[in-house]
Amino acid sequence: MVLRKMLNNKWMVVCLLTGAVLAVAMISSIPIYTNGVLQRMLTKDLEQYQISSGVFPGQCLVQASIYSHYDASNRIKAYHMIDKRVKQELIMDVGLPVMAEAEDLVIDYITALPEVQREEEPKKRFVKIEAMSGLQDHIKIVHGRLFSSEKKDGIMEAIVTEEAMKNLDLRLDEVYVVSDFINPESEPFKIKVVGVFTIKEQVDPYWFQGLWAFRESFLIDYSLFYREFIEAEFPLLTKGQWYYAFDYYKITLDNIASIVDAYKSHSRWFTEKRIDFKMPAISILEQYYEREKQLKTTLWVVQVPIMLMLIFYVFMVSQLIVEHEKNEIAVLKSRGASGIQIFLIYLVESIILSAVAIAIGPPLGLLLCSLLGASNGFLEFVQRTALPVCLNTAAYVYSFWTVLVFMVTMLIPASLSSRTTIVQYKQRKARTAVFMLWKKYFLDVVLLGVAGYGLYSYQMRQQALMVSGVSGTDLAIDPLLFIISTLFILGAGLVFLRIFPYMVRLIFWLGRKAWSPVLYAAFIQVGRSSGQDRFLMLFIILTLSVGIFNANAARTLNNNIEEKIRYNIGADIVIQAHWEDNKPDIMPTDPAAMMGISQLPGLEEEPVQYIEPPFLPYTELSGVELATKVFRKEGVTVQTATRQNVNRVYLMGIIPNEFGKVAWFRDDLLTPHWYHYLNLMSRHQQAALVSTSFKKDFEVQKGDSLWITWGNQGYLEVVVYEFVDYWPTFNPNVTEPIQTSSPYLVVVNLPYIQANMALEPYEVWLKKAPGATSEQIYKDIENKKLLIERLEDSSQQIIIKKNDPMLQGTNGTLTLGFIVTMAVSTIGFLIYWILSIKQRVLQFGIFRAMGLSVKKIIGMLVCEQVLISGAAILVGIIIGGITSDLFVPLLQMVYSAAQQVPPFKVAAAREDYIRIYAVVLMMLTIGLSVLGFIISRIKIHQAIKLGED
């Protein structure tokens, strides 16, 4: 019976199934995509660490100074204890594949002399005897041959590096007598240098230390070393190193916790035994937890509105189906079927649909995640390595809860309808719409109130971040913040639906004498319609508003990240040229420092003098439109008019008219426009701009004099002309007690600084010409042979940031949300209107029998579309814009106050609205086409035969 019922309503079931599959796919994609992005983020962080530091992040190094920390009788016991701990416990606990391993055994504090004297005054060579396990497979012999694993005539063979040959003045095939200089009574032994080696492959992870580490070492066979210096009666081992290169690509979300736990456990043991234990990946894994919190919080802020919208969609379609089948339910009820039997019919149907949704949804979610892994921005895709995604247990757990909600939303309308008899159904159908519960209990006002409280909670949280200076993830996040944007959309939508009937009546009353029969019928239909029309309007408002919110959130997030980079760097390109000075290349030994005295009487440090490099070549670089000089110095001391000394002041020297043309600054950060402040500085050479924080903390007023100094120089007097909250490169939200940047700012004319203070290196700020590329400028710098110590490029930093998996993950999620929202909006719209037409077949048949043409009936439907769908679309776009302005800034709640400079500015892109309008136009066109097709197929005599009016 259930299957027959589903086949009779196959198109409605397909629509409902589509919603369920979309919901399951979308929600199951959350853990799949989040895990994929987090995995990519972790791998990228580890790769970036290797690039920036040159250290293999998968290395694990244990270093034990056996000679220093253990007495002679316990040294070998200690060695075996450590060796067992590392090889049998540590490696097992970490649980990662080993790419390379090495045990490095060392004898230190020994000297070597040639057996046959070749020097008038024999020179003692302080050397080390070393042995590394597996060394033979990782070296290339450049001179001589490899050592032997056996002693020959009491002589051990060794190989050395080219640097050791040179530094120790060694000769190939020469025998050296080696002695312990700490214990001269010990018996010396002989070593013969038989070969010179180098590294076979430079990228070999086996080499945890470069060749420089062996510049004083004789390397002998590992097994020979073990026999002679560990198993011997008087062992000489002084140091041991155990090195493992783990495959860090095998570090996954599942084993991070076990790796960190293993590290902490063994680190405690090694620390107690005074043994060094290093795993560079651990610091990255610990930072990863912070980034994981930030990403998950951001994704939840973005995904919760989409999830609520999908639940709303499923509920709407379920209600439409039940509404369509109410007559059938009432007939079953009147013929003896119990409410439980009717409920069971819908329960079996929901179970069948849920099973199909769980079978199809997660693989579809996996496919979506694979496609979204290529997102470079909002609705931007590039060729990129596939996201490491796979179906996991969490995806099916999310799917299970989704179908559970789906079943509940489907069964609630069925349960309510199963209590209705045929008589009650006919009575309710004949009556006008009853007063809706949400209107009676002012649910719209309640929702807006909750959203307002959530917004207030967010603002209080921001103030707490500003005061404490901690990261956003360190403060507890109110779960309400994840849903307040959706609550606001629903609340505002319901407010509109409350006043919508009055708007329709007003429009009808204003033109009551002019309306044609078609318009008259449309107004009557809309005015008398039940809650179904209102439900559709609320659905359209919700979907469009969520779509616009997603689009604006994505644009804002991307714009804000670019603005942060441009603000922190200050211009398109910032260059610190090389300045010649009188500082010695190698600082001589300071006798005062050796004696522990800060400075000897009569000795004065010579002031540093700089030679300014030519500035003109920078202005003539290919691709550069403008250039200016900017002097920046942290930690300057400023004395106020009340003789207060303020340390840690950030000083900036600029040429105002040039600075305004070159520097990047957002126009809305200062009121009036920031050019006004630059004009003030141009009027007087002593004019200074001071940060508002300086004014608040030290009660400085306009017109006050300030005296600036640094180093061993005199004071520079400036006059306060104006106060600023923001300025290029200045972060006013720095509150930590220990910090590298300064919380106070003073901006002064650069020519005035240079005229009164010692000449010091300044930066060159460049503005690119339209269409110019960074590569073009770099090549010209190289061609002109300009010496540069530091270069910061905004465009390159933006590219690096766009490749950050955290940003890619957010963009991908917003793209997915936008696409799903638009698809669901279109499907829901079509479902409603198709059902509406089918329910009104009798009415259209009567209109046709009365003489109305198909064209006029379609015209009537167009009017209804304008009144219902058109109004909902317009209001949805407006509410979406308002929601964006109010709630998009919630995306910055995972960051500390210092990371929120410049503050979020909600951005909207014209192309996003064009896409939304295109979807809406397509939706209306398809809807009207389908409706026109259905109406044209109505046969008047059949429609009237069906009727019961």
Side-chain angles (χ1 to χ4, degrees), residues 519-535:
L519 288 172
Y520 188 89
F523 275 111
I524 293 296
Q525 174 64 31
V526 173
R528 293 179 180 176
S529 64
S530 64
Q532 281 189 23
D533 288 351
R534 307 297 181 264
F535 212 90

Side-chain angles (χ1 to χ4, degrees), residues 97-341:
V98 177
M99 298 171 63
E101 59 181 293
E103 183 182 349
D104 183 19
L105 304 176
V106 183
I107 302 173
D108 208 343
Y109 315 117
I110 54 177
T111 59
L113 285 171
E115 184 181 34
V116 179
Q117 185 175 335
R118 57 180 167 84
E119 302 160 321
E120 290 184 8
E121 295 182 5
K123 173 187 169 185
K124 279 191 176 181
R125 297 159 175 80
F126 293 94
V127 299
K128 293 185 280 189
I129 308 296
E130 289 195 50
M132 292 182 69
S133 60
L135 178 68
Q136 298 91 320
D137 301 328
H138 303 276
I139 61 171
K140 180 172 68 175
I141 300 295
V142 291
H143 299 293
R145 60 180 174 83
L146 189 66
F147 47 61
S148 170
S149 60
E150 301 292 336
K151 289 173 73 173
K152 294 180 181 177
D153 300 325
I155 299 172
M156 290 179 281
E157 293 181 351
I159 57 174
V160 296
T161 64
E162 290 180 321
E163 188 179 0
M165 286 287 283
K166 182 180 177 182
N167 290 347
L168 298 174
D169 189 20
L170 305 176
R171 294 181 183 178
L172 208 59
D173 294 325
E174 187 173 47
V175 177
Y176 297 89
V177 179
V178 179
S179 307
D180 187 343
F181 71 83
I182 291 180
N183 185 15
E185 298 176 1
S186 62
E187 186 178 347
F189 50 91
K190 295 178 182 180
I191 289 184
K192 181 180 181 181
V193 176
V194 297
V196 178
F197 76 94
T198 188
I199 294 173
K200 185 187 286 186
E201 295 179 8
Q202 293 297 326
V203 294
D204 189 351
Y206 174 87
W207 295 101
F208 66 97
Q209 48 192 356
L211 285 180
W212 60 267
F214 306 104
R215 62 187 179 276
E216 297 174 348
S217 300
F218 290 163
L219 280 91
I220 68 172
D221 181 72
Y222 177 82
S223 60
L224 179 62
F225 187 103
Y226 202 89
R227 291 195 305 270
E228 293 294 325
F229 303 118
I230 293 179
E231 294 179 340
E233 185 178 354
F234 300 104
L236 298 177
L237 180 67
T238 60
K239 182 181 178 182
Q241 297 187 102
W242 291 261
Y243 167 76
Y244 290 86
F246 294 116
D247 184 359
Y248 65 83
Y249 286 99
K250 300 299 182 184
I251 300 177
T252 65
L253 306 184
D254 297 327
N255 61 19
I256 282 179
S258 63
I259 293 170
V260 173
D261 290 344
Y263 171 80
K264 288 179 179 178
S265 171
H266 289 283
S267 180
R268 195 178 303 113
W269 188 89
F270 286 128
T271 303
E272 289 172 358
K273 301 292 186 293
R274 294 183 290 179
I275 298 167
D276 291 333
F277 176 40
K278 299 173 185 174
M279 282 184 71
I282 295 301
S283 61
I284 299 165
L285 299 184
E286 289 172 343
Q287 291 171 8
Y288 160 82
Y289 284 121
E290 176 71 16
R291 282 164 63 80
E292 179 189 27
K293 286 181 190 174
Q294 289 184 351
L295 178 61
K296 282 190 172 179
T297 303
T298 304
L299 293 183
W300 274 112
V301 169
V302 171
Q303 290 167 337
V304 166
I306 301 166
M307 291 161 65
L308 293 176
M309 183 269 298
L310 285 169
I311 292 169
F312 193 87
Y313 165 78
V314 170
F315 183 74
M316 184 189 81
V317 176
S318 302
Q319 190 186 51
L320 286 172
I321 288 177
V322 172
E323 191 70 31
H324 185 63
E325 296 174 349
K326 270 187 177 179
N327 190 54
E328 185 181 338
I329 293 170
V331 170
L332 288 172
K333 184 80 173 173
S334 64
R335 291 179 179 176
S338 67
I340 293 176
Q341 288 175 318

Side-chain angles (χ1 to χ4, degrees), residues 872-892:
I873 288 166
L874 180 63
V875 172
I877 291 170
I878 294 170
I879 292 176
I882 296 171
T883 306
S884 299
D885 290 337
L886 292 175
F887 299 101
V888 164
L890 263 68
L891 291 170
Q892 66 184 337

Side-chain angles (χ1 to χ4, degrees), residues 743-881:
Y744 307 115
L745 168 73
V746 176
V747 185
V748 184
N749 281 290
L750 178 59
Y752 180 59
I753 294 176
Q754 292 182 331
N756 293 277
M757 307 294 277
L759 181 65
E760 292 191 32
Y762 54 74
E763 296 172 335
V764 179
W765 288 23
L766 306 178
K767 181 180 182 181
K768 288 182 184 176
T773 63
S774 297
E775 186 180 3
Q776 178 184 348
I777 296 171
Y778 296 164
K779 282 184 178 177
D780 204 29
I781 289 173
E782 191 176 345
N783 293 338
K784 287 185 167 64
K785 297 181 179 178
L786 300 178
L787 299 178
I788 289 175
E789 292 186 353
R790 175 173 53 85
L791 184 147
E792 294 179 274
D793 188 335
S794 298
S795 61
Q796 297 305 309
Q797 291 293 324
I798 289 169
I799 290 170
I800 292 170
K801 194 65 181 177
K802 278 197 170 185
N803 287 324
D804 179 22
M806 188 165 174
L807 183 60
Q808 290 172 2
T810 308
N811 276 320
T813 305
L814 287 166
T815 299
L816 174 63
F818 182 81
I819 293 169
V820 168
T821 300
M822 293 297 101
V824 163
S825 179
T826 305
I827 294 168
F829 175 83
L830 290 174
I831 290 171
Y832 168 78
W833 280 107
I834 290 169
L835 271 182
S836 177
I837 296 302
K838 287 189 174 182
Q839 287 177 345
R840 294 168 63 190
V841 166
L842 174 64
Q843 184 186 23
F844 293 138
I846 293 171
F847 281 151
R848 292 283 286 114
M850 290 170 62
L852 276 180
S853 65
V854 172
K855 191 175 180 181
K856 287 186 177 180
I857 293 175
I858 292 174
M860 183 181 72
L861 285 172
V862 169
C863 294
E864 289 181 22
Q865 290 257 26
V866 170
L867 287 171
I868 296 173
S869 304
I873 288 166
L874 180 63
V875 172
I877 291 170
I878 294 170
I879 292 176

